[in-house]
Structure formats: C-alpha cells, structure tokens
C-alpha cells in the first residue's frame, strides 16, 4: 500500500509464531512428498491448499497443483465436473490473493488456468475480482498486469480499457500503473488508427491537457511527471528513424598519404586517413535513434574498388540489445591499385523494412552519399610516432597555415529532414514551456527537470541558420535549470552533470563559428595534418553529440570531469586521445575506446583508475562477469607469466584490444602497483612511448 | 417519524405515573434533552422524560408537511396549562409554566404537492452531520446508531458565485477533476489544502513536525492567512464559507467581530477531511438521517428507555414546584395534575422560564439571535446528476448578482447592506425517504435553507433571494421550466419552485441554578455546538459521571448501520 506511514510490527506471540512455523514446515514436507510421489488424491490436494492459504509464495505447491489438476482433469468427461474443477482452482487463487494480493505464484496460476481454456471464462467474475483488488490498492501492478492479460484474452477493446484507466486516474491520479497502462493503450490505438485515434496530434494535445491538470494540482506527485515524460518523448522525436551523420561525409576525399609538398591552400581537400595504410576504410552511420537491421541489402555500396570479405555492419554500442545509434563497417580494399588513382565509393541507405527503430518504425528516408579514396602506394613511410605526441597546453589553438579542418557543413546529412518537423510539435512544446514557467515550483525538481527537457527538445528542433541563436538561448535556459538541480537534488547530481555536459557540447558544436574556436589542423610533430579538436577545461562529465565529431583525429578532453567516454566509439578516425586529468575511475569505463580500431595515442594520466575499491561500471561493460566474453586466452597467457589476473582482468581486457603506440597512465593509483607496467608492456607489444619514455 | 396524534386534543385522560420521584425529569424531547436523558439513564439515574406533543423531537423533530403551519404558528387560544388550579401541596409552591412563540414571520406560498402527507420536513434544516463529528460518535457510543439510517450527501457542495453554481473543490481529486478552475488556482488551492493536512498530521503526531503552522499564523484571522497563501477571491470564498463554514462576512472593509481565526478554520477543515472516507459507503463528508432529523432525538430516547428511563408523550408540564424560598425547583406538576418530585428538572427551550426571585441569566436577552429558515419543494435538481447537494451562498454574493442584472434599481442597492451572512441550502432528493417519489411522476426535490440574522425581515429577505437565485417561480398558468436569462447562469432551465415556506426562529437559552433549559436549534450546519452545550449541562449536573461512556452501548455496538468497513 502506498503513502501510508509504516507501523511497527505488533509484538508477536512467540509461541503462536513458532507453532505456525512448525505447522507450515509440516505442511511443506507433506506437500513436497506428495509432489515427489505424484499423489494427486483429494486429501493430498487439500494439503497443498492449506499450505497456500497460509503461504501463497510456496511456488512448488502451485506447480504441484498444476500437475494435479492436469492429471485429474484428464479423467473427467462431464463438462459440469470440469467446470467445478476449474472453479475450485480459481477459488484457491482467490484465497491466496486475500492473503497476499501481490503473490506472483497465485496470479500466474490464474493465468495458467485461463490459458487451459477448459471452460468459458466468467468475465464478470474476473473483472469483479480485479475491481475489488484495485479498489483496495489501485497501484497493485500485479492487478494491472492481470488486467492487461485479461483484456487481451477476452478481446476487450482498448478504448474500454482506456476509459478504465481514466476512471482510476479520476479516483486518484497518483497511480503509476494507470498512467502506464494509458500510455500502452494509446500507443496501440494510434498504431491501429482506431476510430477517434486517427490524429496523433489531437490525442496528444488532449493528453497534455489532462496530465497538466494533475501536475498543477500536485506538482510533488511523481506519477504525472512520468507520464508527461512519455508524452514529451512522443512529441519531440520524429516518428521514423533518420540518418543524421556519416563518416566519410558526402564528397570527402580520403588519402592514404600526405606529401608535404602538396600543401597548397587551393588543392588541399583530401583528408589523410591513417587506416588506409592498412587498406581499411571505416564507414560510420549515425542515426537519430537506436536502430537495428543494417546489412548488405539495406545499405548498398557501389565502387570500382573490390572489398574483401562480406561487408558486415557492427553496432557500436555498449549494450547488446542489437539496437544502436551508431553503426560501422570496415571496408578491406582487396585489389591492387595504381598510384594516385581516385576511386569513388557510393553509399545508399534505402528505404528498408530491415532497418527498424525500437518502436518498430521502418527507415524510410533514403540517403545517398559519395566519397573518394586516393591510394598512394609509393609514399614514404611516415612514422607518426617517431617522437611522442605532445599535447599543446596553450589556451588558444594556433592555426597552421590555412589548413582548414574539414568543411563543416558537409557533416550533417539530414538537416533538411529535421527542418521538416511540424509546427505542431514545436507549438505544443512552447506551450508547455510557458505553462511550467508559470508554475510556482517551490524548488521542485520535477518542474525544473521537465522545463530543462522541454527546452532541450525545442532546441533540438532549431538546427540551422538563424534559429541557431534560438537554440543557444534554449540551451542557456536549460543549463540554468540543470545547475539549479545539481544543488537542489544532490542525490542525482551525476545525472544532471551529464545532461549539462551534453548541452554544453551542443552549444559548442552546433554552429561553425563557435566550433571553429576549438578546432584546428595539427601538423606537428610530423608533417601529417590531423584534424584536432580541443575541449579542455570545460567541466564536461561525458561526451555528447558525438555525431558532430566523427571527423576528429586528435581529441583533447583533458582537465574536465569526464567519468564516461561513451559516445567516442563513433569517432573511428580518432588517432590520439587525451583524457588526462579527468575522473575516469576504471578500465571498464573506457570500454568504448576499444571499438576505435586505429587509436594510437592515449593519455590517461591523472585519472582515478584504481583509486576506487568498487567499480560501478564493471557489470555494464563486456566482461567475463556479464558473460559477454569467452574466457580469454589472454587470461591464461598472463596466468602463465604470473600476472595477477584476478586483480588486473579489466586492464587486461582493455589493453589487449588496443594497438597503442603511446600511452600515459601516470597519476593513477593503479600505475604505481607492482607489476603493472610490465603487464602493460606485455599486453601492448606495439607500445613505443610509455609515460614519456621510449620502451621499444 | 413523527406521527399525527391519533387523538389530538383528547388528552384529558392522562395516565398516572408511578413512582412519583425521580432523579431527573426532562420535559421536551428535543435532541439535547434526549441525549441528556440517555446520558442520565446510562449513568444509572432514574429518569422521567415527558413531552407535551404526541411525537418525539420538539423543536428538533421532523413533521408531516400538512402539520407544519400549525406547528410554526400554534393556536394561541390553546391553554398551555389547566392544572394551575390545583392547590399548592405541602411545602411546595407551584409556578405556572408557559410556552413561548419560537417562530415568527411564517410565510408559505405555492400549493402543497400531493400527497402532502408523504413529505416530511425537518424543523432544524438545513442540517447534516460530519461523518467524524461528535453526534456520530455519540450515536455509535450510545448504540443509538441502531435506530437511525443514514444517506450521504453524495453530490458534494456547490458555491454560488457571480450568478452561477460551482462545485466546491475540497480534495486533491476534486481539484484535479474540476473544469472551472484555472491551472494556477488548482496549484494554489491544493498547496493550501496540503499545508493544512500537514499541519493536522503534525499536530496529531503522525506527520513531520515541520508541517506545523506557527502559533502566530493560527491566531490570525483565517481570511488573512488565506490571503498570505495567495488564494484568489473565489478560492477564499470556497475555503471560508463552503469548507470552514463561516457564517459571517470575513472579507468586509471593516473588521467584523465574527472573524474566524486560522485555528478555528483549520479545526473545521480537519473535521471535514477526517469525515471524508470514514465510512466506506458514505461519499463525501456529510451524512443525513434517511427519515429526517427527527430520527435522532428518537434514537437517543430509545437508548434512554433501554436503560430504564420512563417515557410519557402528550404530557405537558403545567407548573414548576418550588421550595419554600422559591429558590430551587423540587419537581414538576404535570398536566394531569400529578406532582412529580425530582432532584433535577430540565425543560424544553420553548418554555418560558418564569421570572424567579433568584438572579436569572438569559443570555442575549436584549438582542436575541435569530435564524431565518426556508423549506422548498421543486421539480429538478439544482445540479445535474446530483441528488443530495449542499449549496453555499457566501455573504454579499447575491447582491453582486443583483447589481449585475439591474444596476439602477434602488431597491437592490439597499440590499447590499442586507446579506451579511452566509446562506446555506441543502437539497435532498427522493432517494431519501423524506420526499415522495411515485413511479412515472416527475421526481420532487426538497431543499432547506438557513441564514443567521438579527433582524427577522432581513433574514427572510435573504432566504427568498437565495430561492430566487436558484429557482424560477411557478407561473400563474402553471407552466414549468422558464428559461433562465440571468447573466452568468448556465443557460439551462432552472428548477421550478412548487411550494415554499420561509420562517424565522429565535435562538435563546436560559438557565437558572436549579432549572436547566436546553439549547435551541442553532444556525449551524451541524450539531457540534448544541452537543457541546448539552455535554456541559450534563457535567454541571453530574460532575463525576462520564458522559455516555462507551460501555453504555448495547452488546452489538461495534457495527454501525452506516459503516461498511
């Protein structure tokens, strides 16, 4: 029951309690015995009833009853007798529910019985039972679950169930289950285009109106805010998944070599692509929402180049749900090609039933883009890592000659599509913003958080040209709310900080002019110009808007408060990364980096790796613990070499999957541990510079 | 239910009462006397309870509609006493007792709908009980609840505001569902209710002590406190008059003495909110006795009778028996001429207390309080789909309407000074047994109105005004359903008034050292004040006895006929 102060348990009569326990034990033993000996007599079944009456959680007793029921009902032929057998079982469930209305076993037993379909279901009895239970506790989610089951089972129209949720919300709107069921029913009705639910806009306008009544009445009640969040998500995301960025971008020219003499402002248009040396070209596609189903038929490639193996698309995501915003494939150039020849590659993402979002919508905005590859086989072999890469600490970035980084506007693909957003969405959101600005919030976190979310949803709709100024204004207001929230609700501080980081990143990268202040083309120390982005000292805690950074080759995130590098996996061009002086607390938190194939330089110095006894990310990342990785050969090898695998398993997994040339790790607790340096050098044979020393 | 006397007037064959000496003699079976009788009987005293009428209830009774006018204006020629002739016996002196006229300004209009005898009217209306108030507790404690059935005022409350009726949002859910409130009003109103609830929870020890409202705020006039909480005028009216049940204008330009404090306001709200949901089958905070308020005194009389009290109806008290110094009453001479001795005599407030030599205290004797009441019967509910509803007309609200309608009328301007007090109306539908419903006939609704007043004609005027606001008069040609054209109204057809009665009742209570008189029906919506005075009377008489202790109830006391818990 909810919203009632907890009362101290009455002092129980110990004698009675122990007598009850003895009786229970006795019953349990007998029921188990009957279960094993398959005794399905009336007396034996009666015993199981006695047990369940006292303890409905005795799951084995339920299973025993199922077996007994099946056994006994087989011998019945008279429909009346079957009916009474079913009736008896139903009554047992009711008795058990009286004892504990939240007994999983009892509810399941009832569903199982109905699913046997032996007798017609007495819907009056079933719904009557539910009404009674939901009257006692309107938020009993077991009851709601059963109601959904029953409605489907009996074919009750969604409209009627929707009305029922409204009744319950009318009784007391502090009811998560009712709001939740409403969201499910409405989604169904909208998908089915049922009568009266043809217009998503009309339905959602009414729902906004309804939930706002609840929110204004009692802003401290959470349930309405959750429903509002759902509505917001329905309003702010496009119905269909869209491609929002790609690497290489349309018209990009990739080159395997860079000859210094060719530095010429006018002709400099090709981008040095490190991976081409290994005759590999990564292609990265970035969608606005997680999708699945990218394969050779949904994404077509056309080129004179021959690509080895089958083209396999990988989800660059830390979860194994199969859905991801970001997908990559690595083209292996198979044919020998003559020097200085340019090959174009055409990528087409077609309307396809294969590509689907989590909500089940298909991808239906076809995109084509072309890039060219210049293979220069004869070029002198540049050793990029002749000297250790030094990170420029100067505040402003020097521009090297007129080397402009990649033309920015090429990066975004579907800005035209996003522009298409209907006015309705924007109006609805603006209306909500105006409303909640009015609501005296008493420092309520829900009001501020919702306002921030609404503002950001509005900002996301302003994506080009002059509206970028508005976007920044929305971002600024949202940042204000998020900063308030960090103080107001310290227990969720990290969430707010991550949100704030993301907004900050948005502000810095949404328009060319601002972004350019952080970009340069780095030519030192070797003559290869690399696209360099510097985001140091901004109190970032995480990475947002990675789709705008996919062309970056050198990234400086030092002197922030970065805790998670999730998102960086989209940066397949990344060669050097500096995340020194941050708050990375474990190797498992760095797992996204293992997906960057050609990362060569990594500065991890002055983080908190090894300083925390509890690794909070360890169960999220792929590890032997989450059963995602087979027992590694590496573990065995290390064991043979007397390294402490139990202690260093995460470091082991991390370094094993990187081919680093340069690593800095000083200033972390783990770096001073015995054997650690030897382990690292063992794990990364390619390593040349380790904490500034040449090791190879 | 009050029955028509079978042999009214043929009251000369009075029974002889034996024994002739009691601990307590009560005359009149109004609610306070009946409660006292039950309490005295429960305390083990010998009790004689007589009533001059052939039915129970006195000023608190419910009577059949045809008997109403004779009850309100009794024939003055009826001799109140015939026994004065009897000689003073022994050491006692007999002092004649006389009834007084309690009602004035009686005015009825319209034809009584037939069958008139099927309508029973309350004399104390509009009146309800809070599910959690003292009256309900007393009924439960004494076992009187077994003799009464209740219905809830399930249509909630309505506020008359700027010419229209609005539902009174009194809980989180009603605020949520209300369609007339603005979003911000909802926020402010619920915030206020929450503040009060937190305070109530904190003072009862269940909540966070931080929720307690400061003493300073509790002593503030409630209206000031509401202003601090930023309630809009309409919301203030809702809280002050429809929830806290303030009688007088709280918002006037000059500070009125009848301002309720925050403490008092919150007390009423606390009672209100603990009433909601006390009984599983009662919707809302109020309940109403199914067969009228006359049931209540009768229920307590039965409790008293169970405990051994002796009841005689149709038995007026003719005279007081006083001791030699004429200081103390020692008994009563009944209309039968029989002298009954008693230690304590308690009489109905409709008897004039004779001027005795002893210092006598009659409160407010110069300016007696009055309450104007109205009863009407009409053809349809004032609120669609609601059967039993309470309507509150806050002070001055009707003048505002009137000026809107006709701003030039001098008469209306004069009225501005007149509605100083709240008018309350309780509509009861045919699902209560008090109004008659016949199949295929239009159902009849009945409503009670009241407003406190000092001047009888002013009070009467207010009652009539309130009736005008809600009902359209029956046209001379008898057609019903005149279109409401007054501004602000819903445009629906107003209910048509079929019959109405307006009257003014005095509220006096006199008490002397040994002769006690019980309180008259007051202007309030509930019995709280009346029962408070009754309880005080009891403790004055028997300071060492407990007032209707729980154990006095019969054995099967735990189940309340009304509770479905």
């Amino acid at each position: 029951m909810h919203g009632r102060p907890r009362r101290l348990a009455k002092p129980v009569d110990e004698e009675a309690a122990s007598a009850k326990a003895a009786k229970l034990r006795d019953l349990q033993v007998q029921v188990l015995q009957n279960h094993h000996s398959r005794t399905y007599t009336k007396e034996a079944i009666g015993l199981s009833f006695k047990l369940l009456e006292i303890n409905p959680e005795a799951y084995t007793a339920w299973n025993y009853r199922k077996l007994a029921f099946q056994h006994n009902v087989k011998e019945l032929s008279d429909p009346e007798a079957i009916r009474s057998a079913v009736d008896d079982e139903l009554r047992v469930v009711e008795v058990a529910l009286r004892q504990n209305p939240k007994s999983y076993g009892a509810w399941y037993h009832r569903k199982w019985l109905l699913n046997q379909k032996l007798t017609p279901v007495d819907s009056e009895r079933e719904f009557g039972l539910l009404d009674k239970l939901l009257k006692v506790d309107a938020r009993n989610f077991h009851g709601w679950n059963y109601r959904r089951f029953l409605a489907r089972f009996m074919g009750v129209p969604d409209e009627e169930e929707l009305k029922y949720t409204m009744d319950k919300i009318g009784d007391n709107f502090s009811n998560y289950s009712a709001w939740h069921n409403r969201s499910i029913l409405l989604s169904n009705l909208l998908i089915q285009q049922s009568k009266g639910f043809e217009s998503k806009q009309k339905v959602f306008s009414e729902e906004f109106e309804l939930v706002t009544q609840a929110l204004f009445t009692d802003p401290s009640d959470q349930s309405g805010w959750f429903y509002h969040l759902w509505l917001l998500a329905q309003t702010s995301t496009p119905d269909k998944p869209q491609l929002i960025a790609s690497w290489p971008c349309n018209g990009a020219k990739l080159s395997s070599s860079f000859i210094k003499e060719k530095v010429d402002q006018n002709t400099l248009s090709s981008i040095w692509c490190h991976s081409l040396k290994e005759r590999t070209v990564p292609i990265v596609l970035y969608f606005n929402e997680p999708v699945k189903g990218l394969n050779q038929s949904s994404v077509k490639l056309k080129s004179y180049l021959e690509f080895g193996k089958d083209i396999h698309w990988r989800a660059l995501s830390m979860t194994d749900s199969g859905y991801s915003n970001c997908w990559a494939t690595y083209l292996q150039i198979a044919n020998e090609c003559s020097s200085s020849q340019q090959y174009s590659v055409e990528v087409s993402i077609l309307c396809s039933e294969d590509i689907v979002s989590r909500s089940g919508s298909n991808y239906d905005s076809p995109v084509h883009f072309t890039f060219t590859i210049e293979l220069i086989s004869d070029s002198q072999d540049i050793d990029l890592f002749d000297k250790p890469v030094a990170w420029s600490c100067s505040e402003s970035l020097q521009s090297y000659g007129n080397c402009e980084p990649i033309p920015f506007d090429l990066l975004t693909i579907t800005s035209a599509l996003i522009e298409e957003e209907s006015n309705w969405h924007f109006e609805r959101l603006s209306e909500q913003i105006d409303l909640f600005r009015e609501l005296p919030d008493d420092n309520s976190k829900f009001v501020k958080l919702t306002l921030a979310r609404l503002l950001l949803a509005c900002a996301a709709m302003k994506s080009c040209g002059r509206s970028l100024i508005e976007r920044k204004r929305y971002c600024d207001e949202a940042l204000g709310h998020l900063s308030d929230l960090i103080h107001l609700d310290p227990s969720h501080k990290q969430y707010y900080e991550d949100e704030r980081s993301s907004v900050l990143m948005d502000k810095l990268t949404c328009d060319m002019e601002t972004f350019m202040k952080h970009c340069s083309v780095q030519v030192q120390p070797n003559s290869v110009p690399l696209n360099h982005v510097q985001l140091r000292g901004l109190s970032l805690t995480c990475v947002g808007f990675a789709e705008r950074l996919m062309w970056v080759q050198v990234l400086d995130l030092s002197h922030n408060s970065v805790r998670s590098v999730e998102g960086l996996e989209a940066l397949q061009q990344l060669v050097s990364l500096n995340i020194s002086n941050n708050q990375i607390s474990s190797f498992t938190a760095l797992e996204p980096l293992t997906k960057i194939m050609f990362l060569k330089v990594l500065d991890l110095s002055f983080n908190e790796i090894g300083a925390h006894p509890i690794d909070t990310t360890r169960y999220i990342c792929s590890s032997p613990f989450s059963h995602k990785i087979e027992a590694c050969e590496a573990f065995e090898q290390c064991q043979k070499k007397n390294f402490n695998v139990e202690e260093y398993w995460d470091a082991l997994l991390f370094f094993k999957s990187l081919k680093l040339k340069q690593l800095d790790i000083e200033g972390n607790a783990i770096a001073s541990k015995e054997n650690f340096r030897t382990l690292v050098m063992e794990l990364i044979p390619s390593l040349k510079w380790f904490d500034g020393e040449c090791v190879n | 239910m009050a029955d028509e006397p079978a042999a009214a007037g043929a009251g000369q064959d009075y029974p002889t009462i034996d024994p002739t000496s009691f601990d307590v003699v009560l005359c009149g079976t109004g609610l306070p006397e009946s409660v006292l009788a039950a309490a005295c009987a429960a305390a083990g005293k010998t009790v004689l309870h007589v009533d001059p009428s052939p039915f129970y209830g006195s000023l608190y009774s419910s009577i059949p509609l045809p008997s109403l006018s004779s009850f309100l204006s009794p024939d003055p020629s009826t001799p109140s006493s015939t026994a004065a002739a009897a000689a003073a016996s022994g050491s006692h002196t007999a002092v004649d007792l006389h009834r007084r006229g309690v009602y004035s300004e009686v005015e009825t209009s319209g034809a009584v709908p037939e069958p008139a005898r099927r309508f029973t009217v309350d004399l104390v209306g509009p009146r309800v009980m809070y599910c959690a108030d003292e009256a309900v507790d007393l009924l439960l404690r004494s076992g009187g609840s077994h003799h009464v059935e209740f219905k809830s005022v399930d249509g909630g409350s309505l506020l008359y505001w700027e010419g229209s009726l609005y539902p009174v949002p009194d809980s989180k859910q009603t605020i949520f569902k209300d369609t007339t409130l603005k979003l911000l009003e909802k926020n402010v109103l619920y915030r206020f209710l929450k503040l009060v609830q937190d305070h109530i929870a904190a003072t009862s020890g269940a909540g966070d002590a931080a929720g307690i409202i400061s003493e300073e705020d509790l002593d503030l006039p409630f209206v000031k406190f509401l202003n601090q909480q930023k309630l809009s005028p309409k919301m203030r009216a809702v809280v002050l008059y429809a929830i806290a049940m303030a009688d007088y204008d709280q918002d006037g330009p000059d500070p009125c003495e009848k301002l309720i404090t925050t403490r008092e306001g919150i007390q009423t709200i606390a009672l209100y909110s603990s009433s909601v949901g006390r009984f599983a089958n009662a919707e809302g905070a109020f309940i109403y006795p199914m067969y009228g308020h006359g049931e209540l005194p009768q229920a307590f009389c039965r409790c008293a009778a169970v405990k051994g009290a002796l009841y005689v109806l149709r038995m007026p008290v003719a005279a007081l028996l006083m001791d030699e110094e004429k200081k103390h009453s020692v008994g009563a001479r009944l209309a039968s001429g029989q002298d009954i001795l008693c230690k304590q005599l308690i009489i109905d407030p409709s008897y004039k207390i004779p001027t005795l030599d002893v210092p006598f205290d009659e409160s407010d004797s110069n300016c007696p309080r009055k309450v104007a009441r109205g009863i009407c019967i009409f053809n349809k509910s004032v609120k669609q789909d609601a059967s039993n509803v309470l309507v509150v007309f806050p002070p001055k609200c009707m003048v505002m309407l009137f000026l809107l309608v006709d701003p030039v009328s001098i008469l209306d301007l004069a009225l501005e000074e007149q509605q100083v007090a709240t008018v309350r109306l309780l509509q009861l539908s045919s699902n209560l047994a008090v109004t008659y419903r016949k199949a295929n006939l239009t159902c009849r609704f009945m409503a009670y109105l009241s407003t406190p007043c000092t001047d009888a004609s002013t009070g009467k005027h207010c009652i009539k005004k309130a009736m005008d606001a809600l009902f359209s008069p029956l046209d001379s040609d008898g057609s019903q359903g005149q279109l409401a054209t007054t501004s602000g109204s819903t445009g629906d057809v107003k209910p048509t008034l079929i019959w109405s009665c307006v009257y003014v009742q005095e509220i006096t209570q006199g008490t002397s050292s040994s002769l006690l008189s019980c309180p008259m029906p007051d202007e309030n919506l509930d019995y709280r004040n009346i029962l408070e005075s009754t309880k005080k009377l009891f403790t004055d008489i028997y300071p060492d006895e407990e007032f209707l202790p729980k154990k006095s109830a019969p054995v099967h006391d735990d189940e309340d006929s009304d509770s479905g818990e």
Side-chain angles (χ1 to χ4, degrees), chain B residues 435-450:
Chain B
T435 56
Y436 174 68
R437 183 178 190 170
K438 204 163 139 192
N440 302 326
L441 269 182
T442 34
C443 51
R444 297 283 182 245
F445 288 85
M446 185 174 251
Y448 299 97
L449 300 95
S450 78

Side-chain angles (χ1 to χ4, degrees), chain A residues 571-586:
Chain A
L571 279 58
Q572 291 294 326
Q573 286 292 301
L574 199 61
V575 176
S576 339
L577 173 66
N578 182 357
I579 39 173
S580 63
N581 294 288
N582 275 295
Q583 292 171 11
I584 302 288
S585 64
S586 67

